[in-house]
Amino acid sequence: MAIATPPTTARTTAAGQVPSPVCPLPWLAAWTLCRREWVRFIRQKNRVFSALGQPIIFWILFSSLVGTSFKWPGNAYEGSYSEYFFPGTLVMILLFTAIFATISVIEDRREGFLQAVLVAPIPRWSMVIGKVLGGTLIAVAHAAVFLLLGFWLGIALNLPIFLIALAYLFIVGMALTALGLAIAWPMQSTQGFHAIMMVFLLPLWLLSGAFFQPSNNWMAWVIALNPLTYCVAMLRRILYWAASADTYEKVTQELPPTWLCATVTLLFLAGTFALAWRVAAVRATRDAI
């Protein structure tokens, strides 16, 4: 009696050759991780509210507290403190939203998702781009909503300036998200990440000229070495590009030059992204936990 031949497995071709495993494209993996960050964010309604509500509350409270006692740097421009604090609040939205988005790295490691991504046949840089891009788009979306208040403030804001400001916020958001990823990657708990954020990241924003212009003391050197100082200054320049020449001169007379702000911003982005990629590329035992 003839014995039936067992069927071949699905992995065997008609010619009897085993095909090579299908490897996901690096950019497709990056986009998938980016979209996952968005889906997770939208499903957390309280996170959507707090990420936008907290900066608006800060902006209203500080603007009301300082009020008319504020004098614009150089005493040449008679603007309100809410107007001065506006670019700093935008950077604060980017900082907090981007940094909190990177907490998902710690949660992914705890839930086992990060280990599954790390053993996938994709380069580490695609994973870094996916996480950074996801956090950046979330941060820029929040900043865009707040930026609409600029039309109400009386800033000479129009559609081209609005789009240029969004593009610049995207660059700054990329840098801050990459910095948050580099800090969150070696962390084992969200409590430790919050401690680092309060000790390092919050002073990084406070010492950026977002609140007040630096005075001529030792603190001025600290502020001058802070890359966020140039991000806030560049954003302030962009917001007044459509204003009259006299207003633009008065607002920006105490700020660093445009070329210096743009150069520092790009170097800040390159440095933080390289740091995030380097930290994620190093294999450690914590990745297997």
Side-chain angles (χ1 to χ4, degrees):
M1 183 178 65
I3 301 176
T5 305
T8 58
T9 62
R11 293 180 179 273
T12 305
T13 62
Q17 298 177 348
V18 178
S20 58
V22 178
C23 297
L25 298 175
W27 289 107
L28 178 60
W31 171 246
T32 303
L33 291 174
C34 172
R35 191 175 61 176
R36 180 177 179 270
E37 294 295 321
W38 262 98
V39 172
R40 170 185 283 184
F41 176 76
I42 293 174
R43 288 179 178 176
Q44 298 174 349
K45 305 298 182 184
N46 54 348
R47 187 179 161 193
V48 176
F49 173 76
S50 62
L52 187 59
Q54 182 184 12
I56 293 178
I57 292 174
F58 273 30
W59 180 64
I60 294 175
L61 287 180
F62 281 110
S63 299
S64 301
L65 289 173
V66 176
T68 56
S69 62
F70 172 76
K71 298 296 181 183
W72 202 275
N75 296 325
Y77 181 66
E78 297 180 355
S80 62
Y81 183 73
S82 60
E83 192 176 338
Y84 178 85
F85 192 36
F86 191 72
T89 308
L90 284 169
V91 175
M92 181 176 68
I93 292 174
L94 291 180
L95 177 66
F96 281 87
T97 308
I99 295 300
F100 276 110
T102 54
I103 294 181
S104 63
V105 173
I106 304 173
E107 298 172 349
D108 288 343
R109 179 182 288 113
R110 186 182 304 163
E111 297 167 357
F113 177 80
L114 184 63
Q115 289 83 343
V117 175
L118 292 177
V119 300
I122 58 172
R124 292 286 178 97
W125 61 261
S126 65
M127 184 196 63
V128 173
I129 288 179
K131 300 291 288 187
V132 171
L133 188 61
T136 301
L137 292 178
I138 293 172
V140 173
H142 281 85
V145 176
F146 186 80
L147 186 59
L148 293 174
L149 294 176
F151 293 99
W152 174 75
L153 265 181
I155 299 176
L157 200 61
N158 51 34
L159 183 58
I161 296 298
F162 184 84
L163 296 178
I164 294 174
L166 279 186
Y168 184 73
L169 289 172
F170 179 81
I171 297 174
V172 179
M174 285 278 288
L176 293 175
T177 311
L179 177 63
L181 180 64
I183 296 175
W185 188 270
M187 294 289 172
Q188 299 294 334
S189 65
T190 54
Q191 292 84 357
F193 183 82
H194 281 287
I196 294 297
M197 190 185 72
M198 296 302 294
V199 173
F200 174 67
L201 297 178
L202 190 58
L204 187 72
W205 173 74
L206 291 174
L207 298 175
S208 65
F211 270 128
F212 295 101
Q213 195 74 4
S215 55
N216 295 323
N217 53 21
W218 64 270
M219 194 66 73
W221 289 96
V222 179
I223 296 176
L225 296 175
N226 184 0
L228 275 190
T229 300
Y230 303 92
C231 297
V232 175
M234 185 67 188
L235 187 58
R236 198 182 304 280
R237 285 183 175 275
I238 292 175
L239 293 178
Y240 287 90
W241 271 352
S244 63
D246 182 60
T247 301
Y248 181 79
E249 182 66 24
K250 290 178 180 178
V251 169
T252 61
Q253 63 177 353
E254 300 286 336
L255 298 178
T258 303
W259 67 267
L260 181 59
C261 295
T263 303
V264 172
T265 302
L266 294 177
L267 291 176
F268 184 46
L269 171 62
T272 53
F273 190 83
L275 178 64
W277 174 79
R278 177 60 182 167
V279 171
V282 175
R283 300 181 184 276
T285 54
R286 62 175 176 272
D287 297 337
I289 295 176

